Amino acid sequence: MTAEAGGPARRLEEVAEAAARAFRLLPAAPRDLPPPGQTPQNPARRISADPDTVERDLIKLVLTLVELLRQLMERQALHRVDQGDLTEDQEERLGATLLVLHDRMTDLCAQYGLTMEDLNLDLGPLGTLLPKSD
C-alpha cells in the first residue's frame, strides 16, 4: 500500500469534489450548441419516453445498472485474486459465478433485442458509463 499525502481521507474528499463537479448542472454555452437546424455530430443517446417502447427502455436502464455492478464486482474479484486473499476453491467458484452472470446478461440482452453496447450510456463530456469492451 502506498502512502499518499493526506491519506484516505484526502482521497475521499477529492472524489467527493470530483463527483460534485461532474453532477453540477450548468446551462450549455452558446458555443457548445450546434447551429440552428443542424444536429450535433455525436448526439447523446437518451432513453425514449415513447409509450410503445417504455418496457424495453426500462429493461435497458435496469440492465445497464446491473452490468455496471457486474463489472465492478469482476474488478474487485480480480483485485482479491491478485492480492492472494482467496483460496483456490474460492477463486474457482467466483470465476464460475462471474461467467454465469455474464452469460445471463447476454441472454437478457438478446431477449429484449439489445446488445451489450446498447447498455453503454453516453454521459456527454464524461464519456461513456462503461469501459469499452475489447
Side-chain angles (χ1 to χ4, degrees), residues 36-130:
Q38 182 181 356
T39 58
Q41 287 182 346
N42 295 321
R45 296 183 298 165
R46 292 184 172 86
I47 294 178
S48 173
D50 182 4
D52 297 332
T53 63
V54 71
E55 179 184 4
R56 183 176 182 271
D57 294 334
L58 181 59
I59 290 295
K60 181 178 175 181
L61 179 60
V62 170
L63 289 178
T64 297
L65 293 173
V66 170
E67 178 61 13
L68 176 63
L69 293 173
R70 186 197 69 76
Q71 288 186 15
L72 291 172
M73 288 184 339
E74 187 174 279
R75 286 191 198 119
Q76 181 64 30
L78 289 174
H79 177 72
R80 289 188 67 193
V81 168
D82 289 343
Q83 295 297 315
D85 292 346
L86 302 173
T87 66
E88 193 171 313
D89 185 50
Q90 289 172 325
E91 288 179 16
E92 288 294 323
R93 286 193 342 233
L94 188 56
T97 301
L98 290 172
L99 283 173
V100 168
L101 184 55
H102 183 268
D103 290 344
R104 187 64 181 128
M105 282 295 299
T106 304
D107 293 345
L108 285 169
C109 285
Q111 181 179 345
Y112 287 94
L114 298 168
T115 64
M116 294 301 275
E117 290 80 31
D118 291 334
L119 304 182
N120 199 0
L121 300 179
D122 182 3
L123 301 176
L126 297 176
T128 56
L129 179 66
L130 305 169

